[in-house]
Amino acid sequence: MPVAVIWLIFALVLAGAEALTGDMSLLMLSGGALAAAGGSFVGLPLWADASVFLVVSVLLLVLVRPALRRRFSPAKGLPIGIKALEGKTALVLDRVGRDEGQVKLDGQVWTARPLNDNDVYEPGERVTVMQISGATAVVFKNL
């Protein structure tokens, strides 16, 4: 069996194994095996084929694999739900004290309480939502 065919079979086996792992490492080695098969078709000796395999595989692993991993990895999405409200600025509508208060947050009216129990915020003040506790926005005065 010609050496080029062996390199092609090796490349196909590596590509098939990559389909099972999804790590992109074996795919890069498969690319190196394809390059070695091309070198073998040209008539390079076996040691040169192995060198082509090594160099191309390392280059693919170092240069191409990181870009592919970034491209195909799931993006970190924006926070959703109540986590998206934390850190936003709200407008105090009714006096916010220990047991009372309302703020307008993203166009909606929320019950609110201060982060520190002794703080009091008057209507018209801007506050930052530190967290959402149930249906209550826990707020702190903007600096």
Side-chain angles (χ1 to χ4, degrees):
M1 188 180 313
V3 175
V5 174
I6 294 172
W7 280 113
L8 284 174
I9 292 171
F10 185 53
L12 289 174
V13 168
L14 287 170
E18 176 62 40
L20 299 174
T21 64
D23 187 47
M24 301 284 185
S25 298
L26 295 177
L27 189 61
M28 302 302 114
L29 296 178
S30 176
L34 282 175
S40 182
F41 277 128
V42 172
L44 294 178
L46 184 59
W47 65 268
D49 290 344
S51 297
V52 167
F53 169 74
L54 181 67
V55 169
V56 171
S57 295
V58 168
L59 286 175
L60 287 173
L61 283 168
V62 171
L63 300 176
V64 176
R65 182 176 177 262
L68 283 177
R69 299 263 308 166
R70 278 191 305 273
R71 174 84 171 139
F72 292 120
S73 66
K76 294 184 174 128
L78 296 173
I80 59 173
I82 60 173
K83 287 292 182 191
L85 298 175
E86 293 176 2
K88 289 199 171 192
T89 301
L91 176 66
V92 176
L93 297 177
D94 289 332
R95 185 174 188 264
V96 175
R98 183 180 311 173
D99 299 321
E100 61 183 355
Q102 288 185 332
V103 295
K104 188 170 192 174
L105 174 62
D106 273 355
Q108 297 178 352
V109 177
W110 284 75
T111 58
R113 67 176 174 82
L115 182 63
N116 300 321
D117 287 337
N118 296 332
D119 290 347
V120 174
Y121 307 123
E122 298 299 327
E125 288 185 296
R126 298 265 177 200
V127 291
T128 301
V129 176
M130 303 307 287
Q131 67 183 21
I132 302 292
S133 176
T136 302
V138 179
V139 297
F140 190 72
K141 174 80 173 175
N142 287 345
L143 299 176

